Amino acid sequence: MMTGRRAERDCGEKMTRGLVFDIKRYSIHDGPGIRTTFFLKGCPLSCWWCHNPEGISPQPVLLRHPNRCIGCGRCIAVCPSGAWSRKADGRLSHDKEKCTLCGICADTCPPSAIEIAGREMTLGDVVQEAQKDIPFYDESGGGVTFSGGEPLLQSRFLFACLLKLQDEEIHTAIDTSGYCEEKNILEAAEIADLFLFDIKHIDPKKHEYYTGVSNRIILSNLGKLDETLVRRGRGRINIRMPLIPGINDDTENLEAVAELSASLKTLSGVNILPYHSTGEGKYRNLVMEYKMGNYLPPREDKIAEALDIFRRQGIEAVKGG
Ligand code: SF4
Ligand code: SF4
């Protein structure tokens, strides 16, 4: 028979819900080993190069994939709000004002040309999904990563997931911009095993220009996170830096980020993430402006130079990851 306390906890788990816009299984780029990554909705930054723009809004969004559409018209027929129509040239039109994001069209579209990014999941759902991959975690030293968006925006849901996964002895990582309330990152520091901490630019003005926010809170949170992990005697930080020619790849910036990384007592390494434009199509599908049209991925010699700057500080720096 279930004890009162256990019943209370199970009931609490059912009530704890978050908004997740994607789940990536068998990921080898979101922390050590093979991982299951949950992408949580909402981000206070709007980085020009974001490759998950569907995760920025804290609300669900309807994402279209016109290249998959077979023109069957089922979306027009099933929408209870009359949000879909066909234009004179035969193309589909979607009226955002009428759409209630009920998801019926996405569920019935045969080739999945419509997607609702942002579905509610309970704590139990997350744990159930993670448990399916335990054999892979055990084999590879992997675990679960929470990414986004900014996962610390949904802090209550995130902490509940971390605690439950900790009970299950599953390794946990948080992929964060570091832009959040200090108390949230410090609470996470008491539970999570690894922080994948993004540093995009050391200059506060340039940081604000390209991401929409200053890096003041981010750098302060990074220092406090490091101190907390030292005190806890457990948990590590991995710095992740997107490398974007013409934005943050100058020697001065790279040296400053390398120096900052080297000052962290709980640093496990640095990942240099070369910019790529694979997210561009999503901007079109979301009818959002893509500001990176004129930017190219970094050349291999520039990536090698960047890695060198970090390695000269004695840091284990790798490309990608
Ligand atoms: S239901 Fe899907 S495939 Fe059919 S017309 Fe609508 S978007 Fe296109
Ligand atoms: S999500 Fe619902 S309301 Fe919006 S277009 Fe699809 S069926 Fe219509």
Side-chain angles (χ1 to χ4, degrees), residues 15-180:
M15 301 294 286
T16 308
R17 291 162 195 275
L19 214 51
V20 176
F21 69 90
D22 201 4
I23 303 172
K24 191 162 71 180
R25 315 198 90 95
Y26 318 119
S27 168
I28 51 165
H29 299 295
D30 297 316
I34 296 172
R35 309 192 70 83
T36 310
T37 304
F38 294 87
F39 294 83
L40 272 53
K41 236 5 202 114
C43 184
L45 279 68
S46 46
C47 305
W48 286 22
W49 52 87
C50 177
H51 53 259
N52 289 330
E54 74 276 33
I56 294 173
S57 162
Q59 307 301 329
V61 290
L62 185 141
L63 190 58
R64 296 174 64 178
H65 302 283
N67 54 334
R68 296 185 198 160
C69 175
I70 53 170
C72 67
R74 199 170 291 186
C75 50
I76 302 172
V78 298
C79 176
S81 311
W84 288 104
S85 59
R86 207 182 283 280
K87 294 187 207 167
D89 63 6
R91 284 186 300 151
L92 284 177
S93 169
H94 178 250
D95 186 337
K96 273 188 183 176
E97 300 300 316
K98 288 184 181 169
C99 177
T100 60
L101 294 164
C102 69
I104 294 172
C105 59
D107 291 342
T108 50
C109 171
S112 305
I114 308 166
E115 190 187 325
I116 301 292
R119 302 261 186 176
E120 239 185 33
M121 284 185 86
T122 65
L123 169 58
D125 295 335
V126 170
V127 174
Q128 206 173 16
E129 286 301 313
Q131 281 171 333
K132 289 179 191 166
D133 294 338
I134 285 178
F136 298 102
Y137 311 152
D138 289 347
E139 192 66 31
S140 66
V144 170
T145 298
F146 293 93
S147 183
E150 171 47 65
L152 282 154
L153 266 193
Q154 296 190 51
S155 54
R156 192 168 159 266
F157 176 61
L158 176 65
F159 298 153
C161 292
L162 291 171
L163 285 168
K164 185 71 182 164
L165 294 169
Q166 193 182 50
D167 281 355
E168 304 278 323
E169 297 184 358
I170 294 174
H171 181 276
T172 54
I174 300 176
D175 181 5
T176 178
S177 66
Y179 192 88
C180 61

